[in-house]
Amino acid sequence: MIDCIFCKIVAGTIPATIVGESARSIAFRDVAPRQAVHILVIPREHHSNIAELSANDPEALVDLMQLGSRIASDQTTGHFRFTFNTGELAGQTVFHAHGHITSTQPAKA
Ligand code: 5GP
Ligand code: ZN
């Protein structure tokens, strides 16, 4: 989708620190991390929020949850949040579905 910042990250036209990928989803570090671990997981295809993704492409939703869970178990001690702000009044600012993986507990090196 033209003018969607996350579609541009999927296309590689703006840079991001990618931490994981699957056929349907990608994961990258949030540009303004609010916790020690702050990773965004998005579907490669544009859907405006997680409810739309769930309704329109449930297989992509499962893929996103599986990639996110894998990344969270790699990057944290297993104590994390996986959250989806949905709608402007709930704090959504980028209208391409995305989950936030946040944790104060990075995986030990
Ligand atoms: P929301 O508020 O919509 O739930 O989350 C959007 C998130 O995207 C925010 O945490 C914000 O820091 C992050 N973000 C916005 N623009 C960019 C960008 O260009 N690159 C990356 N990596 N993260 C971004
Ligand atoms: Zn998009």
Side-chain angles (χ1 to χ4, degrees):
M1 193 193 192
I2 292 168
D3 282 343
C4 170
I5 202 156
F6 287 177
C7 282
K8 289 180 182 168
I9 288 175
V10 171
T13 55
I14 65 169
T17 305
I18 310 273
V19 295
E21 300 190 58
S22 66
R24 310 289 310 273
S25 314
I26 66 169
F28 53 90
R29 294 202 186 279
D30 196 291
V31 76
R34 291 190 284 281
Q35 294 206 348
V37 178
H38 191 165
I39 292 164
L40 302 175
V41 190
I42 72 171
R44 290 181 187 273
E45 285 177 16
H46 185 91
H47 296 271
S48 52
N49 59 50
I50 200 69
E52 294 280 322
L53 180 65
S54 165
N56 296 333
D57 197 342
E59 287 179 10
L61 174 70
V62 169
D63 185 274
L64 184 152
M65 294 304 297
Q66 289 179 332
L67 178 64
S69 301
R70 207 157 59 234
I71 302 275
S73 83
D74 287 351
Q75 302 264 342
T76 76
T77 57
H79 301 256
F80 62 88
R81 301 180 75 193
F82 197 175
T83 52
F84 297 87
N85 297 332
T86 306
E88 207 172 337
L89 297 180
Q92 187 177 3
T93 59
V94 176
F95 292 87
H96 180 130
H98 57 278
H100 296 253
I101 294 169
T102 51
S103 180
T104 57
Q105 303 273 309
K108 295 185 178 77

